[in-house]
Amino acid sequence: MRRASLDSVNCSIAQTLDVVGDPWTLLVVRDALWGVTRFDEFRRSLGIPRATLSTRLRDLVDHGVLEQRPIEEGATRSEYVLTRKGRDLRPVLVAMLQWGDTWAELPTPPVTLVDSTTNESLDLTYVDQTSGRALRDIAVGRRINTHSASAAEHSATG
Amino acid sequence: MRRASLDSVNCSIAQTLDVVGDPWTLLVVRDALWGVTRFDEFRRSLGIPRATLSTRLRDLVDHGVLEQRPIEEGATRSEYVLTRKGRDLRPVLVAMLQWGDTWAELPTPPVTLVDSTTNESLDLTYVDQTSGRALRDIAVGRRINTHSASAAEHSATG
DNA sequence: GAGATTGGTTCAATAATTAGACTCAGCTCG
DNA sequence: CGAGCTGAGTCTAATTATTGAACCAATCTC
């Protein structure tokens, strides 16, 4: 968190990790995506210490990922709901879910994502909208965007 | 890391975070995907303290994300290269890159991903291969896979 | 209004991270 | 050969973060 290394500041991945790089943070977001909103709900679901949850929620609110608001007009208790920014983290969690399904030594994937209108299983894959090809079949490189100049490097297929 | 909370162990996301939940770890993997292999290369690129890098690399090797091997036959110095398991983390980093591009207050995205054979920009989106629809247009729910029973919950569109 | 529940804060103990010094092995250059 | 540099770490002491446990004030429940 306090880390903001020299070469890395100018990188969107580092920026993202600055917000959600903590081990607990994405678990909070995961629960929020499944509709958890209340302090104790998070605490019981995650088994996270109160103090830690308290600072995590505050950080997420500060970063605009969660919105804290009274559970009803004038109430003192709060609920925490994802903002658009927070809901946009779903692909990160989908990617982690898939990696865990593939590589964690669990007998069977614990949850399957479904289309909640049809209840059909989802088979989510990163696809390049320009070429229609799947990420797994693409040799990915990068172009570094300086104000003026530009250069490209490459990396093997993932 | 020492956290492995009760409700969360049986979740692929938690399993993933157990391996890459640390703030530095995914930055190491990011660099590795771009071809960084040597201790000092990582250290200089990330600005990470030596001791921290040392334990991170050891952890990643222990988890089978990186392979450590002598830079050449019989050499004492090592290089660290991604395993298949490690390369499979690319979607996680792509998702984080996109979130950072969208939400970090950077004037312009620092890097653009390209197809390194054609140098064309990539426009990567999660698509459900079954229905052909983009994740952003799907109301995602989940089916919880117990050995026998099953149930489904839903969550609003991301 | 007694007792549980919710949503926190405070505290002391423990664990992780850090910067910086140190080590040791291999080059490299004269 | 020997001095100095670089790479790849380890060690130590100081700083920070995390944790569990206790505490507290509102709110609900009956």
Side-chain angles (χ1 to χ4, degrees), chain B residues 34-93:
Chain B
W34 295 127
V36 171
T37 59
R38 301 288 292 273
F39 189 92
D40 254 45
E41 251 185 308
F42 286 111
R43 196 182 60 76
R44 270 194 290 268
S45 164
L46 301 177
I48 183 175
R50 294 159 180 287
T52 309
L53 177 58
S54 188
T55 61
R56 284 303 153 270
L57 289 173
R58 198 182 359 257
D59 290 349
L60 285 170
V61 169
D62 287 351
H63 279 114
V65 170
L66 290 176
E67 185 194 344
Q68 178 178 21
R69 61 186 189 206
I71 56 173
E72 59 191 89
E73 189 50 39
T76 50
R77 298 185 181 184
S78 316
E79 61 182 1
Y80 298 87
V81 296
L82 289 167
T83 59
R84 182 108 192 71
K85 186 173 178 180
R87 289 192 301 275
D88 267 8
L89 284 166
R90 191 192 291 278
V92 174
L93 289 166

Side-chain angles (χ1 to χ4, degrees), chain B residues 72-122:
Chain B
E72 59 191 89
E73 189 50 39
T76 50
R77 298 185 181 184
S78 316
E79 61 182 1
Y80 298 87
V81 296
L82 289 167
T83 59
R84 182 108 192 71
K85 186 173 178 180
R87 289 192 301 275
D88 267 8
L89 284 166
R90 191 192 291 278
V92 174
L93 289 166
V94 167
M96 288 193 170
L97 180 77
Q98 293 184 336
W99 193 82
D101 282 347
T102 305
W103 292 105
E105 58 306 296
L106 295 173
T108 181
V111 315
T112 305
L113 297 181
V114 300
D115 180 329
S116 68
T117 61
T118 63
N119 216 36
E120 290 282 325
S121 303
L122 296 174

Side-chain angles (χ1 to χ4, degrees), chain A residues 23-48 53 56-57 60 65-66 80-83 86-87 89-90 93-94 96-97 111 113, chain B residues 3 5-14 17 140 142 144 153-156:
Chain A
W24 288 110
T25 304
L26 281 173
L27 291 174
V28 172
V29 174
R30 177 201 64 179
D31 275 16
L33 276 168
W34 294 127
V36 171
T37 60
R38 301 288 290 273
F39 189 92
D40 254 46
E41 251 185 309
F42 285 111
R43 196 182 61 75
R44 270 195 290 267
S45 165
L46 301 177
I48 183 174
L53 176 58
R56 283 304 151 269
L57 289 172
L60 284 171
V65 170
L66 289 176
Y80 298 87
V81 296
L82 288 167
T83 60
R87 288 191 301 275
L89 283 167
R90 191 192 291 277
L93 289 166
V94 168
M96 288 192 170
L97 179 77
V111 317
L113 298 181
Chain B
R3 146 206 53 72
S5 68
L6 308 87
D7 181 34
S8 288
V9 263
N10 191 34
C11 166
S12 296
I13 294 172
L17 286 168
V140 180
R142 59 177 170 173
I144 293 170
E153 290 186 52
H154 72 285
S155 144

Side-chain angles (χ1 to χ4, degrees), chain A:
Chain A
M1 294 290 200
R2 316 298 142 242
R3 146 205 55 70
S5 70
L6 307 89
D7 181 35
S8 289
V9 263
N10 191 36
C11 166
S12 296
I13 294 172
Q15 297 286 324
T16 300
L17 287 168
D18 205 53
V19 178
V20 299
D22 177 88
W24 288 110
T25 304
L26 281 173
L27 291 174
V28 172
V29 174
R30 177 201 64 179
D31 275 16
L33 276 168
W34 294 127
V36 171
T37 60
R38 301 288 290 273
F39 189 92
D40 254 46
E41 251 185 309
F42 285 111
R43 196 182 61 75
R44 270 195 290 267
S45 165
L46 301 177
I48 183 174
R50 294 161 179 286
T52 308
L53 176 58
S54 187
T55 61
R56 283 304 151 269
L57 289 172
R58 198 183 356 259
D59 290 348
L60 284 171
V61 170
D62 287 350
H63 279 114
V65 170
L66 289 176
E67 185 194 344
Q68 179 178 20
R69 62 188 189 205
I71 56 173
E72 58 190 88
E73 189 52 38
T76 50
R77 299 186 179 182
S78 315
E79 62 182 1
Y80 298 87
V81 296
L82 288 167
T83 60
R84 182 108 190 69
K85 187 173 177 179
R87 288 191 301 275
D88 268 7
L89 283 167
R90 191 192 291 277
V92 173
L93 289 166
V94 168
M96 288 192 170
L97 179 77
Q98 293 184 337
W99 193 83
D101 281 347
T102 305
W103 292 105
E105 59 304 297
L106 295 172
T108 181
V111 317
T112 305
L113 298 181
V114 300
D115 179 329
S116 66
T117 61
T118 64
N119 216 36
E120 289 283 326
S121 303
L122 296 174
D123 177 18
L124 295 165
T125 306
Y126 259 122
V127 171
D128 173 29
Q129 295 299 86
T130 308
S131 69
R133 290 157 63 212
L135 173 59
R136 85 179 78 80
D137 299 324
I138 299 173
V140 180
R142 59 176 170 175
R143 187 165 39 235
I144 294 170
N145 304 123
T146 50
H147 22 76
S148 51
S150 84
E153 288 186 54
H154 73 284
S155 145
T157 300

